[in-house]
Amino acid sequence: MTKYAIRRSLLVIPTLIGVTMVIFMAVRFLPGDVIDQIAGDFGAASPEFRQALLKYYSLDRSIPQQYITWMGDIARGDLGTSIISGRSVGGEVVQRLPATFQLGLMAMIIGLAIGIPVGVLASVKQDTRTDYVARSISITLLAIPHFWLALLTITYGFILFRWTPPIRYQPLWVDPISSFQTLWVPAIILSGSLGAIVMRLTRSTMLEVLRQDYVRTARAKGLAERLVLRRHAARNAMIPVVTVIGLQVPNLIGGTVILESIFSIPGMGSYLFYSIQMRDYPVVQGVVLLSAFAVIMSNLIVDLSYSLIDPRIRYSGR
Amino acid sequence: MGESSYWTAARGQVSRRRMLTSMGATGIGLAGAALIGCGGGGGSPQATTTIAKSGGIAPAPQATSAAEKPKSGGTFRMARLNDPPTIDPMGNLSADSKSFSGVVYSRLLAYKAGPGLPAINFDTQMDAAASVEVPDPSRYVVKLNPKVKFTAPLNRAMTSADVKYSYERLIGKAPGSKPGPDAGVVEAVEAVNTPDANTIEFKLKRKYGAFPGAVLADARSGQIVPVETGTAFNPAEKMIGTGPFIFEQYRPGALGSWKRNPDWHLGADKPYFEKLEQNIIKDQAAQLSQFLGGNIDVIASLSPADIQRAQAAIKGVQVIENPVGNTRYIVFSKEDLATGPVKDVRVRRAISMAIDRDQMLDAAFDLPELKKLGITPTYHWDTFIPHSHEGYWLDPKKDMSADNAAAFKKNIAEATKLLAAAGFANGFSMEWHWTRGYARPYQVHGELISQMLKDIKIDFKTVLDDYSSVFIPQTFVGKFKGAALISYTLGETGNFVEAPFTPGLPRNVSGIDDADLNKLIKTYSEAASVAERQKLMKDMQELATKTMYYVPIPQAPSYQGAQPNMRGVAEYRSQGHAASVEQIPWWWRA
Amino acid sequence: MADSQPITLQTFDVIPPSSTWVGTVRKFARTKPLGAFSFVVILVMVFVALFGQWLAPYSYDDIDIPNRLISPSLTYPAGTDAQGRDQFSRLIYGANTSVLIGFGTVIVSGLIATTIGIISGYKAGLFDVIVQRVVDIWQAFPGLIFVIFVVAIFGASRVTLIFTMGLLFSAGASRLVRGATMAISSEAYIEAARSLGATDLRIWLQHVLPNVVPVIIISMTVQVGGAILLESSLSFLGFGTPPPFPSWGRMLNDAQSHMTSAPYLAVFPGLAIALAVYAFNMFGDALRDVLDPRLRGSR
């Protein structure tokens, strides 16, 4: 187990290096460049001007050279400076991460709180009306596009209840109440699909567990049904939890742009989205790298915790 | 306010889901105006005459027309759909950047705004300057107002060195500065001399009558930063200027905030607001919700449905019309204009005649819905200048010669005949480029045009250009095949014909080189009197209609909302990049 | 989907061998009513997508500006939009976009995932480690962002979207296939086949593939829903299928400016998306219950 953990952890390093290369190249494959976004058609119409700006930002150097410089900065813990805004990427990330993190956490808590019990219920009562209703509701939540729900909420929230979210997000430590007021609606919207995924994962895991010999034995021994459920459900519910954490990270970075804009949340999604539009290389590279790092780490944790949670999963040799 | 009146010009270009479909789109869309300084000419004749006559002093406007006395204090809460790409006024040509910094950095001159003045006017008044003298039309001598002071921590008067430094920083010649994206605006400047600490002399490469309005007052070229920029403070993180407001903080994605500058040179009681907030709310529906909830004071781009909701939710809400400030054309590529079917003027005319301009206005601007609300929008058929340029614009329905007027009217039978005569009885097909980067009306136009042309068997095959990577760097500078839908915001009247028709200028995407037009443009830029210019502009519209190199598409105004207790919003409107300085000092809350 | 169903069911002997094709369907309908309902919805959607141009009363781009923003009526069952286009017809044509992109995406995703998953799972060892790191990198990119990248490079078209989204979805699916392959590879009959000198390719096609097919089918079914949702998000953002051909996501985007005065413009496309995604997910779940080897004998 320990040997596996170490080997699995070490594999993170080549993966991360691969990620940096892919991001670095991918950004530069995008048609149009950051100079177009600074100088627009004026730059497009004047090659000398473009060249001067490229030189100013050291974008006239070869791609390997630029990559090495970037990697050097990363190694020193410097994510670089945005070409467009002139502000430090790291500083901006520090400002934006709390909102994204809080939104993700709130959505996850709501999603798990709904998904796990419903999933257990649906598995125990498989193919009964309870099962159908529970799954129908959760899959309906999964099926409704977030952006649509968000738009309906912001529009009809005022029409029906005169409700409007706080004008701007306040970090949790500045104004916890306002912070929750901003985020509870988007968190619920986001948790809908999450809850559905959790529910389905829990249901199928539970269905599987309930057929296992050791559960049958437990039942045969005359253990109360509830006790059996509690003991095994609790342990197996952990699998959807860790899986969902892994699923959530890229979704939070890339999938919440519309929610962030509708609910005025200064999060990572809109930062990345905007920077891609502006071809702001240092920002796109930095943010995608951070997001990839988070995904890879959470995958690692998921893999490792699977082996802890479920003793049947063995990792010998692979 | 920077945003709403700013968009008087760009209005209708801004996508409803602006932030999402086209970050920075609006700003760069306005980049259409980036080179207007190049050709000289055009411009507001009044501006020049005022300055020449009165030695350059036009008094700043006082109070509002209302009988009420302005009240001081309070926080003015605006919302904007985009973060400024940067808060450095010389860092990006986006209008969002200019209007964000515009309340901090003064310009030598500002555009006139106030009761009775149209929103679209390029008249100037003094800002940081005390006077502007014009010894000859290629030399402008500006004296600084001694009361103009940089706020803490600099705490010193503005000097000519700051002005010279700002110019050099703009063109990328100041130490450590990068080439400025707006350098083109000051292309006509040969040298900036500083005879003494209080005097600046702009030596121009040529006679340039519109220089004050087109360069000194324009927020792209006019904002004056202190020489300490980049050494005493980082202009990407902080702003220290001489304007009506003092920068407090900018939290990207959330908020920019300012406090009142008590020592502002244009008045002890102004600005009236104690604080200014620009809330970044990237969604129109969310902005509306905040406006209805009373959390923001003004809002731009209200649809008829929005107006209806605002009127239902807020008793006495003010709805203010913002005129169209840009032109929109179907443009053809150089190659097609030289060798394609559209080479024949009859074909271009047929295209214009296949378009039902009234229906186009109705569908794109919801005019029937507006009228149902009892609002009478001011709209006409725009020609090669927007109809809002009063005195210059020629009404195709009334004033145009019959033959040219016919080209604006929908007439499928005649259009079909013209096509047949040109040898295209069975039509033809070409690429049709447009983008998602602009607001709904633009996109409705994009869809409608290709539909309407089906009536004369012309097949416009839609090619949707990505805004950042294709539309701006390629289509917008003429690197495309077929036809494209393009909007120009060109500021002063003269530029509207000069920029797209003068050979060699980047706005002339179709490579038009028409001897008659060239001659007229030259005469126009040399013309001294307003009446003469207005007449020449009308001749130009006749000629441009006759040749129909571009096919004009009309637009209708947009609407901004203001809370009932806001004062001055309807009176103090202004045109131009970052009109904030012209407006917000004069706005107040009852 | 309809064709593969009996084959896979036979593979797993869930249904008694004597039962006929019709009997299979009947049993499925009885034990999985929601799944059966969803299957009907899917069939209807596919039918509409295929024969839309004969079903729709108008063309998707018939503008009629004097008749704009008309509420749902007998003439216009779903009303007309701001350009006077019949929303009902556009919804019908929109089904074509959704079905094409949904199925196209999962076919691409299924092919890639199966190839990678089987080879990686069967070969194991260093090869597997490397392939899995590549998949890691692939998954580390935020999905929506990945698609926007590719669309920016190759331009928005249905083909681009299908291949991009297929590539995107294949990463997760390949993990499932790999897992199933690994489980099967240790079975005795595979060992036997190998010792008898069967080539890898032969083993993959004859022994491994039939056994991982259920996993693939289940994941593909659910992914159709995911693809439809993603396409609508992209269209809403302006990166999806280009006009004038309608897509439900773009119809929602267009509806925004009239959302309060003409709510029907936003309601019908939204419902269409939700129903389609619901159906594919529900059907996928039902298939999982029936087909998943791990759940075999659960009835």
Side-chain angles (χ1 to χ4, degrees):
Chain A
M1 178 61 217
T2 334
K3 204 177 146 205
Y4 166 76
I6 293 169
R7 282 186 57 182
R8 178 68 184 78
S9 309
L10 282 178
L11 280 174
V12 166
I13 297 165
T15 313
L16 268 177
I17 293 176
V19 166
T20 59
M21 287 182 185
V22 173
I23 306 166
F24 196 84
M25 293 309 294
V27 191
R28 279 161 180 77
F29 264 126
L30 284 177
D33 63 21
V34 64
I35 306 300
D36 291 330
Q37 310 309 319
I38 294 176
D41 52 309
F42 178 57
S46 156
E48 307 81 42
F49 176 74
R50 270 190 65 83
Q51 202 49 44
L53 268 177
L54 283 173
K55 199 165 154 37
Y56 183 82
Y57 290 111
S58 305
L59 293 171
D60 57 338
R61 292 188 296 163
S62 75
I63 287 189
Q65 268 179 317
Q66 291 182 41
Y67 177 73
I68 288 166
T69 314
W70 181 55
M71 286 308 278
D73 289 345
I74 296 288
R76 282 194 307 274
D78 178 6
L79 283 176
T81 306
S82 155
I83 293 178
I84 293 289
S85 77
R87 301 161 77 90
S88 115
V89 179
E92 184 106 12
V93 165
V94 168
Q95 277 201 1
R96 287 175 181 265
L97 213 49
T100 293
F101 188 74
Q102 192 185 345
L103 175 65
L105 201 65
M106 283 172 68
M108 203 135 65
I109 290 170
I110 303 170
L112 293 173
I114 296 169
I116 292 177
V118 175
V120 171
L121 191 71
S123 68
V124 174
K125 312 245 174 200
Q126 191 192 11
D127 289 333
T128 64
R129 199 161 292 159
T130 320
D131 180 26
Y132 299 149
V133 172
R135 284 157 62 211
S136 281
I137 292 175
S138 74
I139 290 181
T140 306
L141 285 176
L142 178 76
I144 301 176
H146 287 166
F147 59 85
W148 189 50
L149 213 52
L151 264 176
L152 290 178
T153 317
I154 197 94
T155 305
Y156 287 94
F158 188 86
I159 293 179
L160 300 176
F161 309 107
R162 304 216 133 228
W163 170 84
T164 178
I167 190 158
R168 73 184 77 96
Y169 169 79
Q170 300 284 6
L172 198 57
W173 58 90
V174 175
D175 185 348
I177 293 172
S178 162
S179 180
F180 277 110
Q181 279 174 341
T182 303
L183 293 181
W184 70 272
V185 175
I188 288 176
I189 292 174
L190 204 55
S191 73
S193 56
L194 229 106
I197 297 168
V198 172
M199 189 285 284
R200 292 162 75 196
L201 268 170
T202 312
R203 178 173 177 273
S204 57
T205 319
M206 283 300 294
L207 280 178
E208 199 184 333
V209 170
L210 291 175
R211 317 283 160 223
Q212 293 296 332
D213 290 343
Y214 61 88
V215 176
R216 286 187 188 170
T217 316
R219 276 182 181 159
K221 276 196 306 192
L223 273 177
E225 183 76 14
R226 198 186 293 167
L227 198 66
V228 174
L229 270 182
R230 197 186 296 155
R231 184 173 297 170
H232 296 288
R235 172 164 249 181
N236 286 286
M238 287 308 289
I239 291 183
V241 175
V242 288
T243 310
V244 162
I245 295 172
L247 285 173
Q248 182 68 326
V249 176
N251 185 34
L252 270 177
I253 306 273
T256 53
V257 192
I258 304 173
L259 279 186
E260 284 182 19
S261 84
I262 290 180
F263 292 99
S264 306
I265 305 163
M268 299 290 284
S270 41
Y271 187 39
L272 177 59
F273 195 85
Y274 177 83
S275 305
I276 290 178
Q277 297 296 301
M278 297 305 264
R279 309 288 190 262
D280 197 344
Y281 302 149
V283 182
V284 179
Q285 286 165 198
V287 174
V288 176
L289 179 61
L290 280 181
S291 134
F293 181 73
V295 173
I296 290 168
M297 290 319 280
S298 70
N299 279 352
L300 173 70
I301 294 167
V302 169
D303 275 9
L304 293 182
S305 47
Y306 270 163
S307 58
L308 284 178
I309 296 164
D310 189 340
R312 288 165 305 159
I313 299 177
R314 296 260 181 272
Y315 292 93
S316 53
R318 291 202 191 267
Chain B
M1 64 177 259
E3 157 114 67
S4 67
S5 52
Y6 182 78
W7 298 118
T8 50
R11 193 65 60 107
Q13 299 201 11
V14 194
S15 168
R16 194 170 167 80
R17 188 147 301 281
R18 271 159 270 214
M19 166 261 167
L20 299 171
T21 51
S22 66
M23 233 73 37
T26 54
I28 294 167
L30 277 151
L35 291 179
I36 60 170
C38 289
S44 159
Q46 280 148 310
T48 12
T49 40
T50 310
I51 287 169
K53 244 191 268 167
S54 60
I57 299 176
Q62 298 297 317
T64 66
S65 63
E68 294 170 275
K69 253 179 82 92
K71 252 195 238 163
S72 290
T75 301
F76 176 46
R77 302 156 306 170
M78 308 160 55
R80 52 190 313 118
L81 287 156
N82 292 306
D83 272 302
T86 171
I87 62 173
D88 182 341
M90 287 132 188
N92 193 289
L93 42 65
S94 154
D96 288 305
S97 283
K98 310 297 173 189
S99 64
F100 221 70
S101 56
V103 291
V104 174
Y105 300 112
S106 306
R107 293 156 286 168
L108 290 174
L109 299 175
Y111 295 118
K112 255 189 199 167
L117 287 172
I120 299 207
N121 88 81
F122 293 90
D123 244 352
T124 55
Q125 66 194 30
M126 295 300 124
D127 190 343
S131 69
V132 179
E133 275 158 34
V134 195
D136 75 75
S138 64
R139 226 152 55 88
Y140 286 80
V141 179
V142 181
K143 292 254 187 253
L144 288 175
N145 180 342
K147 284 196 284 186
V148 180
K149 267 178 69 179
F150 283 105
T151 55
L154 298 180
N155 288 321
R156 62 168 182 83
M158 180 189 279
T159 69
S160 56
D162 296 311
V163 181
K164 189 177 164 70
Y165 172 78
S166 300
Y167 165 74
E168 284 172 347
R169 192 160 184 273
L170 185 68
I171 59 168
K173 290 279 164 1
S177 70
K178 64 176 184 192
D182 290 309
V185 184
V186 292
E187 179 269 346
V189 177
E190 190 182 307
V192 177
N193 302 318
T194 52
D196 64 56
N198 211 23
T199 312
I200 308 106
E201 182 205 42
F202 293 91
K203 211 168 160 312
L204 307 185
K205 292 174 184 161
R206 58 170 181 274
K207 294 180 182 177
Y208 191 2
F211 181 71
V215 178
L216 298 184
D218 194 304
R220 290 166 303 166
S221 47
Q223 300 193 28
I224 299 161
V225 299
V227 289
E228 291 89 344
T229 305
T231 50
F233 67 100
N234 177 358
E237 312 243 349
K238 202 170 161 50
M239 301 183 267
I240 302 173
T242 55
F245 287 93
I246 298 171
F247 174 70
E248 281 187 334
Q249 60 159 337
Y250 166 46
R251 271 166 46 206
L255 168 80
S257 78
W258 293 260
K259 64 176 189 222
R260 183 176 184 274
N261 177 3
D263 299 325
W264 192 41
H265 53 271
L266 287 185
D269 57 337
K270 294 173 215 70
Y272 295 119
F273 292 115
E274 198 52 48
K275 287 190 73 153
L276 170 64
E277 265 181 16
Q278 296 215 29
N279 293 285
I280 307 203
I281 304 174
K282 300 190 174 186
D283 184 88
Q284 182 73 21
Q287 280 201 1
L288 182 65
S289 163
Q290 298 294 351
F291 181 72
L292 299 180
N295 297 334
I296 53 175
D297 295 314
V298 285
I299 182 172
S301 298
L302 292 177
S303 73
D306 295 346
I307 295 175
Q308 198 173 11
R309 285 185 60 197
Q311 287 173 339
I314 305 168
K315 210 170 163 272
V317 68
Q318 306 177 62
V319 177
I320 298 150
E321 182 181 294
N322 286 313
V324 179
N326 59 351
T327 46
R328 186 163 292 165
Y329 299 130
I330 302 172
V331 308
F332 305 103
S333 75
K334 286 186 191 73
E335 293 71 32
D336 283 273
L337 211 50
T339 57
V342 292
K343 182 184 173 192
D344 191 322
V345 65
R346 288 172 294 186
V347 174
R348 303 195 295 266
R349 207 176 155 91
I351 289 178
S352 179
M353 291 169 94
I355 287 163
D356 188 326
R357 290 179 163 75
D358 285 330
Q359 284 203 351
M360 191 102 95
L361 284 163
D362 281 354
F365 297 92
D366 298 320
L367 298 183
E369 286 71 34
L370 272 175
K371 289 171 185 164
K372 263 183 230 156
L373 291 174
I375 294 169
T376 320
T378 321
Y379 65 93
H380 295 281
W381 288 351
D382 298 309
T383 59
F384 297 83
I385 58 171
H387 68 259
S388 53
H389 289 242
E390 282 169 40
Y392 294 85
W393 170 72
L394 192 63
D395 189 345
K397 281 181 176 165
K398 284 207 309 251
D399 310 323
M400 213 173 248
S401 66
D403 184 46
N404 283 337
F408 277 83
K409 239 179 249 134
K410 182 186 174 180
N411 189 342
I412 298 296
E414 183 60 28
T416 313
K417 251 189 254 167
L418 281 173
L419 272 186
F424 295 99
N426 292 317
F428 55 89
S429 81
M430 67 199 304
E431 283 184 17
W432 173 229
H433 292 260
W434 47 286
T435 176
R436 286 237 164 260
Y438 299 123
R440 197 182 78 89
Y442 173 93
Q443 307 199 19
V444 173
H445 286 157
E447 289 197 49
L448 283 182
I449 288 167
S450 55
Q451 280 308 306
M452 288 178 169
L453 291 184
K454 280 188 182 162
D455 291 348
I456 55 169
K457 295 190 189 140
I458 293 179
D459 179 19
F460 265 27
K461 290 189 192 312
T462 299
V463 180
L464 214 55
D465 292 339
D466 179 67
Y467 185 85
S468 324
S469 56
V470 182
F471 194 76
I472 285 303
Q474 292 182 26
T475 309
F476 206 64
V477 290
K479 294 175 197 154
F480 65 97
K481 271 201 212 100
L485 185 62
I486 282 190
S487 264
Y488 289 138
T489 308
L490 294 167
E492 304 182 81
T493 317
N495 293 312
F496 275 96
V497 282
E498 193 179 304
F501 287 106
T502 306
L505 288 187
R507 288 286 67 76
N508 186 348
V509 292
S510 306
I512 297 161
D513 188 357
D514 184 300
D516 293 338
L517 272 169
N518 294 347
K519 220 171 93 191
L520 252 178
I521 291 169
K522 192 162 182 288
T523 327
Y524 180 90
S525 68
E526 285 166 3
S529 83
V530 177
E532 201 180 337
R533 284 185 184 198
Q534 290 186 338
K535 195 202 155 290
L536 283 165
M537 183 54 80
K538 286 175 180 166
D539 292 349
M540 246 182 308
Q541 289 170 74
E542 292 275 8
L543 188 53
T545 307
K546 194 175 147 229
T547 50
M548 200 60 85
Y549 291 113
Y550 302 117
V551 179
I553 303 297
Q555 296 180 80
S558 65
Y559 290 85
Q560 97 180 66
Q563 298 287 354
N565 63 346
M566 283 297 301
R567 295 291 180 272
V569 183
E571 293 83 7
Y572 286 85
R573 291 181 294 162
S574 172
Q575 162 72 22
H577 289 77
S580 330
V581 181
E582 287 88 6
Q583 308 169 330
I584 296 169
W586 325 107
W587 290 6
W588 50 283
R589 204 184 287 141
Chain C
M1 211 98 312
D3 295 335
S4 52
Q5 203 182 349
I7 300 167
T8 52
L9 287 174
Q10 280 157 13
T11 314
F12 282 100
D13 294 303
V14 173
I15 309 296
S18 63
S19 79
T20 59
W21 197 91
V22 177
T24 310
V25 172
R26 198 173 286 159
K27 174 152 189 197
F28 181 79
R30 204 169 44 239
T31 51
K32 301 283 166 199
L34 281 181
F37 163 75
S38 300
F39 185 61
V40 173
V41 172
I42 293 170
L43 282 184
V44 170
M45 215 177 118
V46 171
F47 179 77
V48 167
L50 291 178
F51 303 105
Q53 50 179 315
W54 293 285
L55 296 172
Y58 302 88
S59 171
Y60 56 86
D61 55 359
D62 275 349
I63 54 163
D64 181 8
I65 291 162
N67 282 320
R68 60 197 293 272
L69 297 173
I70 290 179
S71 302
S73 64
L74 279 178
T75 339
Y76 303 108
T80 63
D81 70 4
Q83 300 171 48
R85 296 177 298 196
D86 177 41
Q87 283 294 95
F88 183 65
S89 305
R90 287 177 64 78
L91 282 169
I92 289 176
Y93 280 98
N96 184 295
T97 306
S98 289
V99 166
L100 191 80
I101 292 202
F103 281 92
T105 299
V106 298
I107 290 169
V108 172
S109 148
L111 287 176
I112 300 175
T114 309
T115 315
I116 293 180
I118 290 183
I119 299 178
S120 180
Y122 181 82
K123 285 277 186 191
L126 186 65
F127 179 80
D128 180 46
V129 170
I130 293 170
V131 170
Q132 288 314 305
R133 285 332 104 202
V134 173
V135 174
D136 268 350
I137 295 172
W138 197 332
Q139 280 193 311
F141 284 90
L144 192 69
I145 301 297
F146 174 76
V147 182
I148 289 171
F149 258 70
V150 181
V151 166
I153 296 172
F154 295 104
S157 73
R158 292 166 164 216
V159 177
T160 320
L161 283 175
I162 287 171
F163 277 94
T164 316
M165 284 160 56
L167 204 61
L168 178 72
F169 285 1
S170 63
S174 79
R175 285 265 151 92
L176 294 174
V177 177
R178 171 178 170 264
T181 307
M182 278 161 72
I184 291 155
S185 301
S186 51
E187 299 273 333
Y189 66 93
I190 302 262
E191 293 290 336
R194 207 173 339 195
S195 56
L196 285 173
T199 60
D200 280 355
L201 188 66
R202 196 188 161 93
I203 294 176
W204 294 339
L205 291 180
Q206 270 197 345
H207 302 294
V208 181
L209 187 62
N211 283 292
V212 297
V213 157
V215 177
I216 298 166
I217 300 238
I218 293 162
S219 99
M220 277 173 74
T221 313
V222 177
Q223 280 184 352
V224 176
I228 292 174
L229 261 186
L230 185 57
E231 190 277 332
S232 68
S233 300
L234 284 165
S235 287
F236 187 74
L237 283 169
F239 291 91
T241 42
F245 205 87
S247 116
W248 293 338
R250 217 156 51 75
M251 288 171 73
L252 277 184
N253 191 358
D254 292 346
Q256 277 180 80
S257 43
H258 301 91
M259 198 145 101
T260 48
S261 55
Y264 56 88
L265 288 180
V267 167
F268 291 115
L271 284 181
I273 295 170
L275 186 64
V277 179
Y278 174 91
F280 279 105
N281 275 291
M282 232 17 179
F283 183 62
D285 273 10
L287 276 186
R288 186 198 316 262
D289 283 2
V290 177
L291 297 183
D292 194 323
R294 286 177 302 172
L295 302 182
R296 237 186 307 180
S298 64
R299 212 140 282 109

